[in-house]
């Protein structure tokens, strides 16, 4: 009788252990699936559901162009010995912004659609696809705690995100970007740039700061070229985003911003009705174009242009912009 009772008890214990092991196995598997990071899979569903073969062909052509663009960029990086390990410094970690829902990392280059990309990231993060991104004010998008940069995470997590998320950046002609920065920061009222930095430039090149006239574009360029300052609004794109060290999945261009941005959103599986915004800070002014840039550079000597090129040589080179 005791033997029977003992065997019965052992049977119950074995059953309980078996149930526990099954539960443990399922729990571990579900957690592994939870933390397993995959490349965006929504792309295929998005494309397969498309009713337009022409749209699919255009998207495939765009992907092919992107591959060629990246192949050219990394070839230049290799030929000029620019491929170095990633420098995980404060600048990089504060420049890369993370959107987890679509596993996106965006390198913010000021004066290259940066504000509109932050609007898009905020819209995706808040899951409010029906709201117009233009409703987000300029001040809020640059200060919102909902937009997290890489600096918000531990070094180990930063590396993990860089290895597994879709990484994007955008480039712009360096001369056009400089003109855009000057127009934005010095031709409008701004406590820091049109006052503090402007007075610093006046003291250096006019030997006085009480002059109320606007800093000229030539003075601004001299300041940028001669001063070793680290202002992100005119810092070389190469330094900001480290494109020779970080293998970006997509590198768009400012001159094809809308097409590149919408194709990236399509790749990420963002709903079709979500598009990259075309919001402009000063709506009554024309956007800075190459034609406008040429007017600002019209009275520069060849030596002065060469000095600009020397500072931004790597940007001209790796992003394939022609030198005037």
């Amino acid at each position: 009788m005791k033997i029977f009772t003992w065997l019965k008890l052992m049977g119950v214990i074995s059953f309980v252990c078996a149930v526990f092991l099954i539960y443990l196995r399922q729990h571990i598997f579900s957690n592994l699936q939870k933390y397993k990071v995959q490349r965006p899979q929504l792309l295929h569903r998005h494309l397969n559901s498309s009713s337009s073969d022409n749209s699919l062909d255009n998207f495939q052509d765009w992907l092919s162009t992107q591959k060629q663009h990246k192949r050219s960029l990394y070839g230049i990086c290799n030929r000029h010995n620019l491929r170095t390990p990633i420098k995980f410094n404060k600048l990089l970690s504060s420049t890369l912004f993370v959107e987890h829902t679509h596993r996106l990392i965006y390198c913010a280059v000021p004066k290259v659609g940066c504000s509109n990309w932050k609007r898009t990231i905020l819209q995706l993060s808040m899951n409010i696809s029906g709201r117009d991104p233009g409703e987000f004010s300029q001040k809020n998008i640059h200060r919102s705690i909902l937009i997290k940069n890489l600096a918000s995470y531990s070094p180990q997590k930063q590396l993990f995100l860089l290895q597994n998320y879709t990484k994007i950046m955008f480039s712009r002609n360096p001369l056009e970007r400089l003109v855009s920065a000057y127009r934005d920061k010095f031709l409008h009222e701004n406590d820091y740039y049109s006052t503090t930095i402007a007075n610093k430039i006046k003291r250096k090149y006019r030997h006085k700061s009480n002059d109320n006239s606007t800093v000229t574009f030539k003075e601004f360029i001299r300041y940028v070229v001669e001063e070793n300052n680290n202002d992100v609004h005119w810092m070389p794109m190469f330094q900001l985003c480290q494109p020779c060290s970080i293998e970006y999945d997509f590198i768009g261009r400012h001159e094809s911003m809308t097409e590149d941005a919408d194709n990236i959103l399509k790749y990420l599986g963002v709903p079709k009705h979500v598009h990259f915004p075309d919001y402009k800070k000063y709506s009554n002014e024309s956007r800075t174009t190459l034609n406008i840039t040429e007017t600002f550079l019209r009275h520069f000597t060849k030596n002065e242009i060469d000095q600009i090129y020397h500072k931004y040589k790597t940007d001209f080179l790796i992003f394939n912009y022609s030198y005037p």
Side-chain angles (χ1 to χ4, degrees), residues 42 70 75 79 86 95-96 99 103 115 140 147 162 170 186 208 210 250 254 287 307-308 317-318 320 322:
L42 294 173
K70 289 196 301 176
R79 286 195 299 274
I86 301 173
T95 302
L96 295 173
E99 199 281 305
R103 297 191 174 105
S115 297
N140 288 340
I147 305 178
L162 283 171
F170 280 76
F186 294 94
K208 55 183 179 180
N210 58 351
F250 300 110
H254 185 268
R287 291 188 184 278
Q307 289 179 336
I308 301 174
L317 185 66
I318 65 175
N320 193 30
S322 59

Side-chain angles (χ1 to χ4, degrees), residues 66-89:
Q66 274 290 310
K67 288 180 181 178
Q68 295 173 10
H69 182 37
K70 289 196 301 176
R71 193 180 302 119
S72 173
L73 185 146
Y74 293 126
I76 293 171
C77 291
N78 287 329
R79 286 195 299 274
H80 293 269
N81 297 317
L82 298 172
R83 295 296 292 267
T84 59
I86 301 173
K87 299 174 184 176
F88 284 96
N89 50 35

Side-chain angles (χ1 to χ4, degrees), residues 6 136 184:
W6 182 80
F136 301 126
D184 179 31

Side-chain angles (χ1 to χ4, degrees), residues 82-145:
L82 298 172
R83 295 296 292 267
T84 59
I86 301 173
K87 299 174 184 176
F88 284 96
N89 50 35
K90 183 178 180 181
L91 172 65
L92 179 69
S93 60
S94 62
T95 302
L96 295 173
F97 290 85
V98 183
E99 199 281 305
H100 290 292
T101 304
H102 299 86
R103 297 191 174 105
L104 172 68
I105 292 180
Y106 162 66
C107 184
V109 180
K111 313 317 302 172
V112 191
C114 171
S115 297
N116 280 334
W117 263 111
K118 286 185 178 180
R119 286 186 174 88
T120 301
I121 290 175
L122 186 59
Q123 183 182 24
L124 296 176
S125 299
M126 297 175 67
N127 194 25
I128 47 174
S129 57
R131 183 174 175 181
D132 180 7
E135 295 178 19
F136 301 126
S137 71
Q138 193 82 1
K139 182 185 296 184
N140 288 340
I141 59 172
H142 291 294
R143 296 180 181 178
S144 174
I145 60 173

